[in-house]
Amino acid sequence: MKILAIGRNYAEHIAELNNEVPDEPVIFFKPDTAILRHNEPFYYPEYTSDVHYEVELLLRICREGKNVEKQFAHKYYDAIGLGIDFTARDLQTKAKSKGLPWTLAKGFNGSAPVSEFLPLTEFPDLQNINFSLNVNGETKQKGNSKMMLNTFDDIIAYISQFITLKTGDIIFTGTPEGVGPVKIGDRLEGYVEDKKLLDFEVK
């Protein structure tokens, strides 16, 4: 399986990082070694001093798809989850300043905690899903899928023009405003609607 991620998919987050609104979706990869499951702790890596949380809704791909038309895109994912796109902001800033890829800043070990997945039948409107992230009991990020610049179906149709989607792939769909740093000892709790799907510590 592979992890695909969308950058700059919420206008407020683009503004808080002083980025430009992209003409097309910004796509990047995380390797499967980035995944943390079952609320395992996140161990702060030694090669960065500025790791940021970015909470995101996840799509789980349920069938192989290439050049998927938007009108059929809903058939290619069957569940919604919640994930954290941990980002080594210092490494990312350095790479961006030189026009280089963000791979090490986004794809390091443990940089993708993922929750269990909920079937689409639990969501009456996929363009109205609330999600949030608490750090040490304080709400830091709140988002809703209606705020996305590119919808779930837009994302599927766009990515599949270039990269064949396969069963089990996970797509991170972008983060809302409110990203910030974590430190050792922090506790992160993530919610989709009123369901707590993530609950782990930084060590």
Side-chain angles (χ1 to χ4, degrees), residues 3-73:
I3 306 168
L4 292 149
I6 311 302
R8 306 179 189 177
N9 202 24
Y10 287 79
E12 292 82 0
H13 174 60
I14 294 171
E16 73 180 346
L17 293 185
N18 296 312
N19 288 323
E20 295 182 1
V21 176
D23 295 327
E24 298 176 321
V26 177
I27 312 297
F28 60 93
F29 278 100
K30 286 176 176 274
D32 57 4
T33 49
I35 289 181
L36 284 180
R37 297 187 187 273
H38 312 301
N39 286 313
E40 295 173 330
F42 170 74
Y43 287 93
Y44 205 110
E46 296 180 354
Y47 41 78
T48 175
S49 59
D50 194 21
V51 173
H52 283 209
Y53 55 78
E54 298 187 6
V55 70
E56 311 197 11
L57 292 173
L58 310 179
L59 301 180
R60 184 178 69 189
I61 301 302
C62 61
R63 61 191 294 185
E64 184 169 317
K66 182 179 180 181
N67 293 318
V68 177
E69 295 182 30
K70 182 179 176 179
Q71 61 182 325
F72 302 119

Side-chain angles (χ1 to χ4, degrees), residues 6 24 60 65 71 86 90 93-94 106 113 117 133 136 147 154-155 160 171 173 175 198:
I6 311 302
E24 298 176 321
R60 184 178 69 189
Q71 61 182 325
F86 276 128
D90 47 357
T93 299
K94 182 179 178 180
K106 291 282 193 179
F117 283 84
L133 178 69
N136 301 323
M147 300 162 60
D154 290 332
I155 291 168
S160 68
I171 299 178
T173 62
T175 195
L198 290 172

Side-chain angles (χ1 to χ4, degrees), residues 75-200:
K75 298 181 178 182
Y76 288 82
Y77 55 96
D78 65 354
I80 301 289
L82 193 68
I84 305 291
D85 170 21
F86 276 128
T87 303
R89 194 71 74 201
D90 47 357
L91 300 185
Q92 185 187 39
T93 299
K94 182 179 178 180
K96 286 170 63 177
S97 71
K98 298 180 179 180
L100 298 174
W102 312 340
T103 306
L104 297 183
K106 291 282 193 179
F108 57 88
N109 292 340
S111 63
V114 300
S115 73
E116 63 180 293
F117 283 84
L118 304 175
L120 295 186
T121 53
E122 294 199 17
F123 302 97
D125 184 357
L126 294 180
Q127 295 191 47
N128 188 23
I129 301 174
N130 292 298
F131 63 107
S132 61
L133 178 69
N134 293 351
V135 180
N136 301 323
E138 180 181 353
T139 302
K140 294 292 189 178
Q141 288 187 274
K142 292 178 69 175
N144 185 291
S145 56
K146 67 185 175 185
M147 300 162 60
M148 297 168 65
L149 300 179
N150 300 282
T151 68
F152 296 151
D153 291 352
D154 290 332
I155 291 168
I156 296 294
Y158 183 79
I159 290 178
S160 68
Q161 294 178 63
F162 307 93
I163 301 166
T164 299
L165 300 172
K166 292 192 173 183
T167 301
D169 288 351
I170 296 172
I171 299 178
F172 279 65
T173 62
T175 195
E177 66 178 324
V179 303
V182 293
K183 62 183 185 302
I184 293 173
D186 283 349
R187 179 182 178 189
L188 278 65
E189 299 168 284
Y191 295 82
V192 171
E193 299 295 349
D194 59 351
K195 290 190 176 183
K196 185 190 290 188
L197 295 185
L198 290 172
D199 186 355
F200 65 92

